[in-house]
Amino acid sequence: SRRVKVNDRQEAPLVLDMAPFLSSPDSPWLPPEGGGDEELYDLTSVLVHSGTAGAGHYYAFAREVDQAGRGEWWEFNDQTVSPTLEETVRRAL
């Protein structure tokens, strides 16, 4: 069978608000207006493949997020781990 790599650009937010997907706006399970961020999720890692469907290279970006949602991004590429910019991660999404 023939392998085909999909190279379409995919985008993902650095913070994902899941509230619209969990229940209706009048649900008693949602926090009151202006309350809570229980449905907000921080992106903490990205896996990247460069190459073709038959061969290539994987590397990753990851961060540990503190209570305030801050965290330094790191690039993991084979034996090298180095700090990287958030903009570099955004370009990889």
Side-chain angles (χ1 to χ4, degrees):
S1 73
R2 184 172 162 234
R3 296 181 188 185
V4 177
K5 179 180 177 186
V6 177
N7 284 312
D8 296 348
R9 179 160 174 80
Q10 302 296 314
E11 293 188 20
L14 293 181
V15 177
L16 178 63
D17 182 2
M18 290 298 293
F21 307 103
L22 297 176
S23 59
S24 65
D26 58 349
S27 169
W29 299 106
L30 287 177
E33 285 285 327
D37 59 352
E38 291 83 11
E39 291 82 22
L40 298 179
Y41 293 86
D42 293 305
L43 182 68
T44 57
S45 63
V46 176
L47 179 63
V48 180
H49 178 264
S50 62
T52 66
H57 179 71
Y58 285 96
Y59 59 99
F61 297 101
R63 70 180 177 140
E64 183 176 0
V65 180
D66 65 16
Q67 293 291 333
R70 296 180 305 251
E72 184 176 356
W73 283 99
W74 293 84
E75 180 177 352
F76 296 80
N77 194 339
D78 291 334
Q79 297 176 344
T80 304
V81 177
S82 55
T84 192
L85 300 173
E86 183 176 290
E87 184 55 36
T88 303
V89 177
R90 286 181 184 273
R91 283 194 308 267
L93 293 176

